[in-house]
């Protein structure tokens, strides 16, 4: 399958009700897309969203400008289908296409850090949100795009080809860090921030941390995250881990009720107790859980 073989039958352009609903949804989607794109670029995304019309890939490939009008994440997110069986072949077709610019792939894969950081931040409304809001389609995209990290890394090596060998190697290393750099102990800090969010917030509701397979993926580098040891030498960083782990250990499950967030806390507690972590992390966890560390204002963000 190639991008030229895109099945546009998913765009029900002859169904007036479907078209009307699609146009109404675009009104909510457009601000996030237009925030960093000019009118022409936004219209490319709009044409794809409403009619399945693809941009002029050949022309776009001659420009290094970012953000891209229809990067990998946008291509999958704006597709009418939420079915992984439909979107997975599209993901592979995009990743292996010689039509798209390497930045279309790189920027599309980098959406993951935004999903973790911004969903657990201080943003109160979609009006304040600085990126396209994926809603609960984010988990579908995560499972498609990060199911096989080795495949992604191999494709990055193949698409980053321009320039001298040393420049390509630096760009590849930078890309891998930006795409996979969220793995590791820093997730505990963001998870802890999720636990103090308003439970009625859409950002709380759609947070990726609620899914066990996402938590498993986040923890894959814990055994050799050497940066963690360096980070906790700084008092402010250590205090942020104390706060996060306190919230995880003492989160009121009874008050929370039967929610995905409560289930995620239970799952993460079990992971910490039974998982293979650095001894330094285990020690901090046990100290915080036992009340041996004084944590100042643990339920306040700052």
């Amino acid at each position: 399958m190639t991008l030229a073989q895109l099945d546009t039958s998913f765009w029900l352009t002859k169904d007036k009700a479907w078209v009307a609903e699609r146009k109404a949804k675009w009104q909510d989607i457009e601000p996030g897309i237009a925030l960093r794109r000019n009118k022409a670029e936004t219209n490319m995304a709009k044409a794809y969203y409403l009619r399945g019309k693809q941009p002029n890939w050949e022309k776009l490939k001659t420009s290094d400008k970012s953000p891209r009008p229809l990067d990998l994440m946008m291509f999958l997110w704006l597709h009418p289908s939420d079915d992984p069986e439909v979107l997975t072949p599209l993901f592979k077709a995009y990743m292996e296409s010689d039509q798209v610019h390497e930045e279309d792939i790189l920027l599309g894969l980098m959406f993951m850090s935004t999903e973790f950081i911004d969903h657990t931040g201080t943003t109160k409304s979609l009006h304040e949100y600085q990126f396209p809001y994926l809603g609960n389609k984010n988990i579908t995209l995560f499972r498609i795009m990060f199911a096989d990290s080795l495949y992604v890394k191999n494709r990055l090596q193949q698409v980053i080809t321009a320039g001298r060998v040393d420049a390509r190697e630096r760009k590849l290393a930078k890309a891998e860090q930006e795409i996979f750099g969220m793995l590791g102990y820093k997730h505990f800090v963001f998870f802890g921030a999720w636990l103090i969010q308003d439970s009625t917030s859409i950002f709380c509701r759609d947070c990726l941390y609620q899914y066990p397979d996402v938590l498993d993926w986040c923890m894959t580098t814990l055994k050799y995250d050497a940066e963690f040891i360096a980070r906790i030498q700084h008092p402010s960083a250590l205090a942020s881990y104390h706060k996060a782990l306190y919230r995880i250990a003492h989160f009121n499950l009874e008050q929370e009720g039967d929610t995905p967030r409560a289930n995620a806390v239970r799952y993460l507690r079990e992971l910490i107790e039974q998982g293979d972590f650095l001894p330094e992390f285990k020690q901090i966890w046990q100290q915080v859980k036992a009340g041996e560390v004084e944590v100042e204002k643990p339920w306040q963000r700052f």
Side-chain angles (χ1 to χ4, degrees), residues 194-223:
W194 182 41
L195 299 185
I196 60 171
Q197 279 189 316
D198 179 355
S199 61
T200 64
S201 163
I202 59 171
F203 303 105
C204 178
R205 180 197 67 201
D206 293 329
C207 184
L208 284 173
Y209 287 131
Q210 66 187 283
Y211 303 102
D213 56 323
V214 174
L215 288 175
D216 289 340
W217 182 83
C218 291
M219 307 298 155
T220 54
T221 62
L222 294 181
K223 289 183 288 187

Side-chain angles (χ1 to χ4, degrees), residues 90-271:
L90 291 176
F91 166 66
K92 292 289 182 70
Y94 197 106
M95 288 287 286
E96 296 169 15
S97 174
D98 59 3
Q99 291 182 281
V100 300
H101 193 289
E102 65 185 50
E103 291 295 322
D104 289 317
I105 292 175
L106 298 181
L107 293 172
L109 288 166
M110 289 175 191
F111 85 97
M112 192 52 57
S113 60
T114 298
E115 287 300 293
F116 287 123
I117 296 172
D118 282 23
H119 273 256
T120 59
T122 58
T123 304
K124 300 292 186 183
S125 68
L126 281 177
H127 179 70
E128 302 173 6
Y129 199 68
Q130 297 295 301
F131 299 93
Y133 193 76
L134 308 186
N136 59 11
K137 195 169 180 175
N138 60 4
I139 183 58
T140 301
L141 300 186
F142 170 85
R143 288 170 176 161
I144 291 171
M145 297 167 70
F146 292 90
D148 188 347
S149 295
L150 182 59
Y151 167 78
V152 172
K153 290 179 180 180
N154 287 338
R155 284 301 302 158
L156 291 179
Q157 290 179 336
Q158 294 167 5
V159 300
I160 297 176
T161 58
R164 300 183 323 191
V165 173
D166 58 337
R168 293 201 307 269
E169 290 179 349
R170 287 195 299 271
K171 186 168 185 177
L172 177 61
K174 183 175 183 291
E176 288 193 3
Q177 173 60 29
E178 291 178 336
I179 293 167
F180 296 101
M182 279 296 295
L183 293 170
Y185 288 96
K186 64 185 72 174
H187 275 291
F188 288 101
V189 176
F190 294 116
F191 188 98
W194 182 41
L195 299 185
I196 60 171
Q197 279 189 316
D198 179 355
S199 61
T200 64
S201 163
I202 59 171
F203 303 105
C204 178
R205 180 197 67 201
D206 293 329
C207 184
L208 284 173
Y209 287 131
Q210 66 187 283
Y211 303 102
D213 56 323
V214 174
L215 288 175
D216 289 340
W217 182 83
C218 291
M219 307 298 155
T220 54
T221 62
L222 294 181
K223 289 183 288 187
Y224 48 92
D225 183 358
E227 291 183 9
F228 173 73
I229 305 300
R231 283 197 297 272
I232 60 175
Q233 303 308 310
H234 300 278
S236 60
L238 181 59
S240 69
Y241 280 104
H242 284 159
K243 245 183 187 182
L245 293 177
Y246 183 96
R247 293 168 186 164
I248 295 167
H250 299 284
F251 188 72
N252 191 329
L253 294 172
E254 183 177 348
Q255 179 179 315
E256 176 75 7
D258 184 18
T259 69
R261 186 164 62 170
N263 292 334
V265 170
R266 294 187 185 95
Y267 188 79
L268 187 55
R269 286 175 182 172
E270 186 175 350
L271 278 180

